[in-house]
């Protein structure tokens, strides 16, 4: 395999992924949606391992949004169960790869067992020094911003002293760089309240591939496309 520096013109420091299309993947096969989610979570593990081979220091996945609560109870419960199982079965593999897990979102409101599974995955990998893996779970971008504002109102920071850098340090993603590349699978071209602050200057990559089918070649295509973008950040 060519080294990643030969293969791509430049690599993003932070890739954010909206892994969409699990339900449609299952429906297309006449399977229950839940099997699509199971295929999706296994693909997530595969892709984490693959991306980890590149010098990409931050990857964040959109797992469950604050709006996903409106789905049928059975699907919500099923998703929570899948995550608990995932932590049970795969946390060690992730830990062995020196990957550090960050929870991006709100623990409050989640079932106690799921809260402990998430806490366990964060605690267990806390001292790891490799790739940072953000898992957005019970996450909403607007909620994140409101939450930061509320904390600032009771902080000692004076309004005149508040700048973007300080504000960002109150977000769930504190200490993580802005998103360079946002990938959304599943043929939808919207952000859906995901990292709305952190994607202000991101490059967007949309594909109609459904998440469980999204493989190594597809991520390479996204990274190649990213390497060709001319990022100007408002300059010339
Ligand atoms: C994405 O797949 C996973 C989550 C939002 C949890 P979907 O469940 O949105 O799949 P589609 O869009 O119905 O195919
Ligand atoms: Mg969807």
């Amino acid at each position: 395999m060519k080294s990643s520096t030969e293969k791509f013109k430049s690599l993003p420091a932070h890739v954010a992924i909206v892994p969409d299309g699990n339900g449609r993947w299952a429906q297309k096969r006449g399977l229950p949606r839940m099997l699509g989610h199971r295929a999706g979570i296994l693909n997530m593990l595969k892709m984490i391992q693959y991306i980890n081979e590149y010098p990409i220091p931050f990857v964040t996945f959109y797992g469950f949004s604050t709006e996903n609560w409106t789905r049928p109870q059975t699907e919500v419960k099923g998703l929570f169960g899948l995550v608990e199982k995932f932590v049970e079965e795969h946390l060690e593999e992730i830990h062995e790869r020196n990957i550090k897990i960050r929870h991006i979102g709100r623990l409050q409101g989640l079932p106690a067992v799921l809260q402990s599974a998430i806490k366990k995955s964060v605690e267990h990998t806390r001292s790891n020094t490799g790739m940072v893996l953000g898992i957005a779970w019970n996450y909403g971008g607007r909620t994140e911003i409101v939450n930061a504002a509320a904390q600032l109102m009771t902080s000692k920071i004076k309004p005149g002293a508040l700048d973007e850098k300080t504000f960002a340090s109150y977000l769930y993603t504190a200490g993580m760089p802005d998103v360079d590349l946002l990938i959304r699978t599943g043929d939808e071209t919207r952000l859906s309240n995901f990292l709305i602050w952190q994607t202000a200057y991101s490059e967007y990559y949309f594909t109609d591939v459904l998440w469980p089918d999204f493989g190594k070649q597809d991520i390479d295509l996204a990274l190649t496309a990213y390497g060709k973008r001319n990022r100007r950040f408002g300059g010339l």
Side-chain angles (χ1 to χ4, degrees), residues 19-25 33 37 63 68 71 75 79:
D20 199 6
N22 292 345
R24 279 164 286 158
W25 181 90
R33 288 179 57 84
H37 290 309
N68 287 148
R71 293 190 179 198
E75 180 157 341
L79 283 167

Side-chain angles (χ1 to χ4, degrees), residues 168-180:
S169 73
Y170 282 79
L171 299 173
Y172 302 131
T173 50
M176 293 168 78
D178 278 349
V179 172
D180 296 305

Side-chain angles (χ1 to χ4, degrees), residues 76-95:
V76 172
K77 278 198 186 141
L79 283 167
F80 291 176
L82 274 181
V83 173
E84 285 160 40
K85 196 162 162 256
F86 182 85
V87 171
E88 228 167 80
E89 291 174 358
H90 302 293
L91 179 60
E92 214 42 55
E93 276 166 77
I94 292 178
H95 177 56

